Amino acid sequence: MEPILIAIFSLIMLMVYFLIIKPLVPLLLLKLQLGDKAILMFYPIFGFLGVLTKSIQINNDLMHSINHALRKNPKAKVILSNHLTKPFIMLTGSEYIKDSFLDHHDYEKMNPFMIPSFLQKGLVMSEGESWKRQRKFLGTAFTFEKLKSRLPMMNKVIEYISENDDKSHLNDFMARITGEVVIRSFFGELVEGFQLEGKDAQVALIQLTGEISIMQLQSAYYFIKYLLFKDRMFEVFPCKKEKEILRRVENIRMKLNELILKRIQQLKENPVQDQEKMVFLDLYVTEYLKQQKQNEQQIDLEEILHQFITLFFAGTDTTATTSGTCLYYLAKYPEIQSEILEEVNQVVGNADINEDNLNKLTKVNALIQEVLRLRNPAFVTLFRTVKRDKQVQDIKLKKGWALVQMQNASSIQDSHFDNATEFNYKRWFDKGNVVKNDNGYINIPFAAGPRNCIGQHMALMEAKIIIALLVRKYKILLNPDVQEVRFGVKFLQTVEPDNCLFFKKRIQ
Ligand code: HEM
């Protein structure tokens, strides 16, 4: 009996050491050093994700606990938490965030997909020279000037999907629109009627990427596997669900590869001459063929495929959730909805949204800015690992620690916005003086620095058209059967439940 008891005792002591003492001691030392500048939110095993989950359970709002702590202690520059056995540093002070964004080479992003064959070689995950080359190459395609040729396509997609979707699931409805826009922006006419797994391509991709990204939040088994093995988690003792996901990933990869190869063949025989008409794939294939001719191959098929998945992953749910949250606020505040409808009728009338009227939708723009300030779906950046011991302002970070930037932390402080926690879209009408004590890193919903969001113009363009066209066509109402609307998390900050809104067709 005794040896068994000793073994159990030793196991418990080991667990206490790894799960509590090991991450907690450096956090306590940091707290001692930083005093008021640090808030300690230690939560054994689950860390930051445990804080969010508890905040949803108690307050119906994933950000409540963190925002409450930050407002109570406006001097705080950092939240100290844990990620299983490691210290987890959440930067909240704008100077700290600035330093870490500028020194981006010192941090490695953790792949949120855990499947390296899907995203790893694209812009979000790549590093060093490969990231620099991709950023430069794609940067030219994401300017407003280049994107404006997509406006007719966006109008068409929104019209079609809003007419045909049953609109009973807000986030699905929005993601069908934004997913289709990304697919068409990448592949153009090549994807007409394109299906994956017997479904419309964007539906299959949304389902798959959604399932993968929330797996770790759904069961402790996946969560601990993710913390232990990261992007190798699917390789280690895969369960039935993981094997099924890997099969779907392979199937989708194969279908996308066929599409890319088809375009390579088409452009070999018949190159596109007009740069303005090129979708993202055409830009890639043209460069790929040019490099092949010059024997200087840098882009390969795998990169093109990963880039598509990257843009789909980065551009679909983010824009969908932002638009969905805007619609929720319009339902909650009917007077704002009337003001927005009046603007749309005056500026756009019955026409499509084009380059001229898009920029005159100042109230629609103000609504989106306010949602991004207060309810940014990307409430923190992707998790990072610190690559080497380094200093950020007065914090000494150790190699291997986990870190995120809370890019909206300053947005809820009265020192930067009047009545900061109040939803007031009118604050954005006065363009000049919205942000107080601004150092350029206070209102940064799309992050900042060299690795800021490359798709921000596209996101704003899409969200404006979605809101304008939907408000013109439908009266947006809160579903009376839904007792409580909450801000939860489906990888991103999301309005829940999914059936919280009604869309009642307006009499034309
Ligand atoms: C409202 C919608 C959006 C929001 C709030 C948003 C937010 C962000 C944020 C915060 C980052 C930095 C992430 C990090 O460093 O961990 C980022 C990066 C990125 N976003 Fe967006 N995004 C949106 C829409 C889009 C769209 C529409 C696309 C493209 C179709 C896109 C493509 C990207 C890419 C490729 C990166 C990585 C850039 C790099 O590392 O160089 N995003 N986004």
Side-chain angles (χ1 to χ4, degrees):
M1 199 63 191
E2 234 175 57
I4 296 179
L5 281 179
I6 292 173
I8 293 174
F9 179 75
S10 310
L11 194 70
I12 292 173
M13 288 319 286
L14 268 178
M15 281 172 67
V16 169
Y17 172 73
F18 279 108
L19 298 176
I20 298 180
I21 299 174
K22 188 171 175 271
L24 189 54
V25 169
L27 294 176
L28 288 174
L29 290 175
L30 262 180
K31 173 69 187 154
L32 263 179
Q33 178 214 325
L34 295 169
D36 279 357
K37 282 187 181 172
I39 298 172
L40 185 65
M41 287 191 168
F42 181 77
Y43 200 109
I45 305 178
F46 300 101
F48 164 61
L49 294 175
V51 174
L52 295 185
T53 314
K54 205 164 172 199
S55 184
I56 296 171
Q57 279 165 3
I58 297 174
N59 307 296
N60 269 336
D61 178 353
L62 87 155
M63 294 307 289
H64 183 274
S65 302
I66 290 176
N67 286 350
H68 179 72
L70 286 172
R71 276 177 64 81
K72 227 171 90 183
N73 182 2
K75 284 189 191 148
K77 307 289 180 194
V78 60
I79 295 176
L80 307 171
S81 188
N82 56 298
H83 195 53
L84 194 62
T85 59
K86 285 180 197 167
F88 181 74
I89 307 297
M90 295 157 70
L91 300 179
T92 59
S94 58
E95 325 83 66
Y96 294 65
I97 290 178
K98 178 179 174 182
D99 281 9
S100 66
F101 276 147
L102 294 180
D103 283 349
H104 63 97
H105 299 294
D106 290 339
Y107 310 91
E108 186 183 346
K109 290 182 192 164
M110 299 184 203
N111 189 337
F113 266 6
M114 295 88 75
I115 300 177
S117 65
F118 223 29
L119 195 76
Q120 197 65 35
K121 286 186 158 195
L123 185 65
V124 169
M125 294 307 300
S126 62
E127 289 188 25
E129 285 309 310
S130 171
W131 166 75
K132 231 188 219 169
R133 173 179 58 74
Q134 290 184 37
R135 180 88 196 192
K136 196 169 161 208
F137 179 69
L138 274 181
T140 55
F142 274 98
T143 58
F144 182 81
E145 279 308 299
K146 286 278 161 60
L147 291 169
K148 68 187 186 196
S149 64
R150 311 274 152 83
L151 287 170
M153 176 271 286
M154 291 182 187
N155 278 272
K156 231 166 96 185
V157 167
I158 295 164
E159 276 297 340
Y160 181 82
I161 294 182
S162 65
E163 198 56 44
N164 291 289
D165 195 278
D166 70 6
K167 297 179 277 297
S168 59
H169 291 82
L170 178 64
N171 293 303
D172 289 357
F173 170 35
M174 291 294 105
R176 277 196 192 115
I177 293 175
T178 55
E180 182 71 8
V181 168
V182 176
I183 293 179
R184 284 181 181 269
S185 301
F186 198 91
F187 289 105
E189 287 167 6
L190 207 62
V191 279
E192 205 64 63
F194 180 62
Q195 296 223 318
L196 291 168
E197 306 192 298
K199 300 168 197 151
D200 286 347
Q202 91 274 31
V203 175
L205 279 167
I206 291 162
Q207 281 176 355
L208 181 64
T209 50
E211 273 176 54
I212 300 175
S213 53
I214 59 163
M215 266 172 87
Q216 356 150 358
L217 297 175
Q218 284 186 326
S219 110
Y221 172 69
Y222 295 129
F223 181 71
I224 290 171
K225 247 180 108 174
Y226 168 68
L227 293 179
L228 289 174
F229 304 111
K230 305 224 174 57
D231 60 6
R232 284 183 43 246
M233 91 172 229
F234 278 71
E235 295 164 24
V236 185
F237 304 120
C239 65
K240 200 168 152 205
K241 178 159 171 98
E242 288 166 310
K243 283 185 191 158
E244 165 65 7
I245 283 185
L246 284 177
R247 185 200 58 75
R248 285 160 67 194
V249 166
E250 265 326 296
N251 187 22
I252 287 178
R253 277 175 48 87
M254 197 180 74
K255 286 274 169 37
L256 292 172
N257 260 327
E258 281 170 12
L259 215 56
I260 295 167
L261 286 168
K262 183 171 162 189
R263 193 61 182 158
I264 291 179
Q265 200 49 41
Q266 286 175 348
L267 292 197
K268 240 184 202 168
E269 290 159 13
N270 201 359
V272 183
Q273 303 299 344
D274 185 355
Q275 275 258 344
E276 300 299 313
K277 290 210 170 107
M278 284 190 182
V279 288
F280 295 144
L281 178 63
D282 291 354
L283 287 171
Y284 255 112
V285 171
T286 306
E287 185 64 19
Y288 170 86
L289 291 171
K290 188 174 128 200
Q291 291 178 359
Q292 207 172 45
K293 239 188 207 164
Q294 295 168 342
N295 251 335
E296 281 175 4
Q297 204 77 63
Q298 287 178 312
I299 297 171
D300 58 14
L301 290 183
E302 199 64 5
E303 179 181 319
I304 302 177
L305 190 138
H306 284 221
Q307 207 63 277
F308 165 66
I309 299 291
T310 294
L311 297 182
F312 189 87
F313 159 74
T316 296
D317 265 353
T318 45
T319 316
T321 317
T322 304
S323 309
T325 309
C326 288
L327 297 179
Y328 160 70
Y329 278 113
L330 291 183
K332 187 173 176 191
Y333 301 118
E335 63 285 6
I336 301 184
Q337 189 170 162
S338 303
E339 288 162 12
I340 296 270
L341 176 64
E342 197 185 317
E343 178 180 80
V344 175
N345 283 336
Q346 259 175 23
V347 172
V348 188
N350 287 325
D352 273 0
I353 312 266
N354 56 35
E355 188 190 342
D356 290 337
N357 54 33
L358 184 74
N359 294 325
K360 291 181 189 146
L361 292 170
T362 49
K363 290 185 179 163
V364 178
N365 186 51
L367 172 71
I368 299 167
Q369 295 304 331
E370 186 65 347
V371 163
L372 286 174
R373 179 186 75 83
L374 214 51
R375 291 292 176 187
N376 188 355
F379 57 100
V380 287
T381 55
L382 292 176
F383 289 10
R384 275 117 161 107
T385 305
V386 181
K387 279 196 207 163
R388 57 186 75 91
D389 291 3
K390 72 171 274 124
Q391 192 80 27
V392 175
Q393 301 272 327
D394 45 3
I395 305 178
K396 211 173 202 161
L397 297 174
K398 290 272 178 210
K399 181 181 170 183
W401 285 8
L403 176 139
V404 288
Q405 292 99 347
M406 285 198 65
Q407 71 268 27
N408 282 82
S410 298
S411 303
I412 45 102
Q413 296 293 6
D414 295 333
S415 50
H416 295 300
F417 289 93
D418 289 332
N419 300 321
T421 50
E422 189 183 298
F423 185 87
N424 172 18
Y425 89 123
K426 288 188 179 155
R427 71 175 81 239
W428 297 100
F429 291 4
D430 172 16
K431 272 190 180 163
N433 301 310
V434 192
V435 189
K436 296 187 282 183
N437 304 315
D438 194 3
N439 65 354
Y441 284 75
I442 301 297
N443 185 52
I444 47 167
F446 294 102
R451 296 203 72 150
N452 68 355
C453 177
I454 201 170
Q456 50 190 292
H457 295 303
M458 181 165 161
L460 292 176
M461 198 180 247
E462 263 184 86
K464 276 191 211 169
I465 306 178
I466 291 174
I467 292 156
L469 294 190
L470 291 185
V471 167
R472 186 172 72 182
K473 200 165 172 182
Y474 302 99
K475 187 167 188 177
I476 301 156
L477 301 162
L478 292 174
N479 181 350
D481 294 338
V482 171
Q483 299 297 318
E484 244 168 356
V485 174
R486 63 181 171 268
F487 282 94
V489 61
K490 280 185 185 156
F491 187 64
L492 299 170
Q493 177 170 211
T494 311
V495 178
E496 292 174 341
D498 238 359
N499 64 344
C500 62
L501 299 186
F502 266 159
F503 293 82
K504 188 173 167 203
K505 211 163 199 168
R506 292 186 194 276
I507 300 157
Q508 299 287 329

